[in-house]
Amino acid sequence: MHVCQRCVSLLLSRPLSAALQHSTRALHQRSHLTLLQHSTRHTLSQRHSRQTWRHFADHQAASPDVYNKIDLAQKEVVPLNSDVHRIDLDAAVHTSPLQEISEEEAVQIQVPYALPPESSTLRPYVDKSETLSKLVQLGVNLWKLEQRPNVGSMLVRLDFHADVAPSLLFLKDLGVEESKLGQLLTKNPFILTESLDNLEARVSYLKSKKFSKQSVAAMVSKAPYLLNFSVERLDNRLGFFQKQLGLSAEKARDIVTRLPKLLCGSLEPIKENLKVCELEFGFRGNEIQHIVTTVPKVLIANKRKLTQIFDFVHNTMDVPHSLVAKFPQVLNAKFLRIRERHLFLEYLGRAQYQPSQPNYISLDRLVFLPDDVFCSEVALATLEDFERFQKRL
Amino acid sequence: MTSQAVRLFRKMDGLFAVYKPQGVHWKHVRDSTESNLLKALNSCPPPAPQLAVQFQLLSGGENSSSTDVVLSPSMVPTLADHPLVTGPQFHKVHVGVGHRLDAFSSGVLVLGVGKGNGVLEHLCNSHVTRDYTLEGEFGKATDNFTHTGRVIEKTTYDHVTLDKLERVLAMIQGANQKALIMYSQVDLHTQEAYELAVRGLLYPHGKSPPILTGLRCIHFNPPHFTLEVQCVNETQKYLRKLIHEVGLELRTSAVCSGVRRTRDGPFKVENALTRQHWTASSIIQAIAHFSKVTRKIRKSGMYKQTAGQLNSSAQVQEQTRSQTEQINQEHVELSSSTSDTVVDRETPVTLSEGRTKH
């Protein structure tokens, strides 16, 4: 222990009892304190700006028995320690980097990783964020989601255990398969921010309309935004399909289960499509019902494309309304495919679409079969002939 | 070490021809081929993820009962390289279009991929003609010259016969020959000009209106008829208007029911890809098939570029001299043939001259 000259001189100047020897260190510091006090009494007025001396002054005011030199020996170390502690507050850093520490302490030091405050991609945050890594393991396409505005920041801010896990458990309870969860979240990440009460209310509404558990799960997988819509909106849509189309409840349920997108989009294009079928094409009510129950996609198809296909099928191929209503898959097919195949059959002389005549070709076979099967079975020609004919159109 | 995707991408460099169906915009064709190529590239397995060093606190082995904590390093693949986080490997493949076809027409459409886009430019500037098959119908006239437009007038066509049609076509061909000579900026009174005309090497320089170098009727079955056309600098609307003018010359009216391009320079319809074959594997095969043609076009394009740059240098003079030498050699061959053939070759030029006098 280093002892300075002045302290030594002080110590030697005063009579030391045996009891003092164990607390020489404390005394030494105390003597320093007294020394400093002596010096500060004179210099206090000159040095108020310095923080250290101010603390001294406070300390002196607090405990006047510091000045009592006679009681030094009998004093305990504790009050001295407290004074020492307060003084050391402003001294140099407690733990100097050169200070030696044990191996265990060294191993347990954790350096915090500095994440960039802003980034245009989620790549720097994926490894460090529990939410994002769990989402990637589920199969969520983070790259697609970060293209959408604000979705990336929303995902980074989510807490896995508080926000994400309850929603995922809810979806699992609903019956959505784990393999489909990734796709669902990629299409609709906002299902994680929707409150569980709302989600449960909507599911209970659907179940009250007699949708089975499996059908609800299938609907949610096919139309990820379904549960983000309010109960009133779902009710409005279901009511429309039942009233406007004049369908029974069971048939309406069937259509909606097969194409849940009907409940998500706006009703105006559907109303327009129905008007087109009724007025422009001239289908009767029961024919429209049959078409819609067989191919619900006709309700949300593009009006112009639908008109083009029907115009070709009815006017150029001379297929009557009844046959088109019987095979509504034709309205769902690609126009170019129908055109090329019909012209090929016409060139070969096999374009026979009347069921009463021999060599009848049904419309669904015309449209549904792949090219090679169509050529071999329906047209009775080779695929090369068909391709050569395509280059003549 | 190149990945499979990069090796596949390097094969996608060159020109190929596609058969555009009627009713489809050329942009749709270009976008479909680009998305099919990208699909094939991104379906290749991604490169292995990078490994990062992670330190983990593990308690020291079962031997020691004390709580010794040990830091052990391990290489862990980073999630930041997962394909769901980085996205697809390829975002864009440069696919360019040569001479465009409007939505009503169908036929051969030349597309260039990657480095082939530069060659496309040379193709467009080069002296190639295009072959069309035009289908016409007598009896009506519409506002946009097609059979789907709004009908403006209807006429009879009983008086139309094949030889009347052929006479009209010959007249049109003559007028086009005259225009060709005029726009090729060649002085008719020179020997070189005669040689070029005889061998059919006249070509319009600079901006010129559409010129038909060949025109004939291949099918006549009133009211329907089919014309075959070889032309330069054309648009499909001009060809439909041509059908309308043929009808007018015959004192009836005609509409066009089909414009089909059967050849675009060296790219013929037999090797064009139909819609089922717009996939990456077929496209790469087609590029390999046309690689010789592509190289020829590139070479001729580079030659023309350098010739244009060094306008008055000695090199160009040498080249022109060699060209004239070639022409002279061929002239020697020609003069060795009989006089009848020489006379025959003279007639096309004199005929057109005769018409201009009238």
Side-chain angles (χ1 to χ4, degrees), chain B residues 15-36:
Chain B
L15 297 181
F16 64 102
V18 142
Y19 192 88
K20 186 188 91 71
Q22 198 209 25
V24 171
H25 199 274
W26 60 265
K27 254 193 212 166
H28 176 83
V29 174
R30 196 211 70 87
D31 291 337
S32 311
T33 43
E34 186 178 345
S35 55
N36 286 348

Side-chain angles (χ1 to χ4, degrees), chain B residues 49-83:
Chain B
Q50 285 182 7
L51 300 170
V53 177
Q54 256 192 19
F55 289 99
Q56 281 156 338
L57 277 177
L58 298 171
S59 57
E62 294 127 11
N63 303 332
S64 56
S65 54
S66 62
T67 51
D68 269 349
V69 254
V70 173
L71 263 188
S72 61
S74 55
M75 302 284 272
V76 173
T78 45
L79 271 179
D81 284 330
H82 197 277

Side-chain angles (χ1 to χ4, degrees), chain A residues 103-104 106-108 110 122-124 126-128 132-144 146 334 336-337 339-340 371 383 386-387 390-393, chain B residues 19-24 54 57 67-71 77-88 91 106-107 135 260 269-277:
Chain A
E103 265 305 310
E104 281 197 19
V107 149
Q108 276 159 6
Q110 297 231 337
L122 286 174
R123 277 189 78 190
V126 167
D127 283 310
K128 306 295 164 190
L132 292 178
S133 27
K134 289 264 165 70
L135 285 176
V136 172
Q137 280 156 21
L138 264 180
V140 177
N141 195 338
L142 288 182
W143 179 78
K144 257 197 204 164
E146 72 193 12
K334 296 276 173 200
L336 276 174
R337 194 176 219 209
R339 182 170 174 263
E340 281 172 2
D371 275 336
L383 200 57
F386 184 51
E387 282 177 26
Q390 271 184 316
K391 292 188 195 175
R392 278 185 45 177
L393 288 177
Chain B
Y19 192 88
K20 186 188 91 71
Q22 198 209 25
V24 171
Q54 256 192 19
L57 277 177
T67 51
D68 269 349
V69 254
V70 173
L71 263 188
T78 45
L79 271 179
D81 284 330
H82 197 277
L84 286 177
V85 181
T86 54
H91 290 260
S106 59
E135 270 155 61
R260 230 179 86 229
V269 82
E270 292 87 34
N271 306 314
L273 300 172
T274 48
R275 225 169 58 246
Q276 302 93 297
H277 297 294

Side-chain angles (χ1 to χ4, degrees), chain A residues 29-83:
Chain A
Q29 291 183 343
R30 174 59 72 190
S31 57
H32 261 292
L33 171 67
T34 50
L35 265 176
L36 291 165
Q37 279 174 3
H38 279 301
S39 55
T40 49
R41 263 187 220 146
H42 305 292
T43 57
L44 209 60
S45 49
Q46 296 159 17
R47 294 192 195 184
H48 344 278
S49 54
R50 280 190 71 182
Q51 196 92 25
T52 45
W53 305 117
R54 215 179 295 134
H55 279 307
F56 254 133
D58 295 338
H59 167 70
Q60 281 171 23
S63 47
D65 44 324
V66 157
Y67 302 106
N68 199 343
K69 284 172 210 166
I70 301 160
D71 291 336
L72 269 175
Q74 282 88 42
K75 282 279 191 294
E76 289 290 350
V77 184
V78 172
L80 288 171
N81 270 344
S82 60
D83 298 332

Side-chain angles (χ1 to χ4, degrees), chain B residues 219-237:
Chain B
H219 187 68
F220 182 74
N221 184 20
H224 301 283
F225 65 101
T226 313
L227 301 180
E228 196 190 326
V229 167
Q230 282 98 35
C231 50
V232 146
N233 274 338
E234 85 295 353
T235 55
Q236 286 79 45
K237 196 167 184 188

Side-chain angles (χ1 to χ4, degrees), chain B residues 149-168:
Chain B
R150 185 172 60 93
V151 176
I152 295 177
E153 67 171 2
K154 282 193 173 165
T155 56
T156 57
Y157 50 85
D158 310 317
H159 57 279
V160 177
T161 58
L162 182 60
D163 59 274
K164 279 191 195 163
L165 178 64
E166 301 230 314
R167 231 177 283 160
V168 167

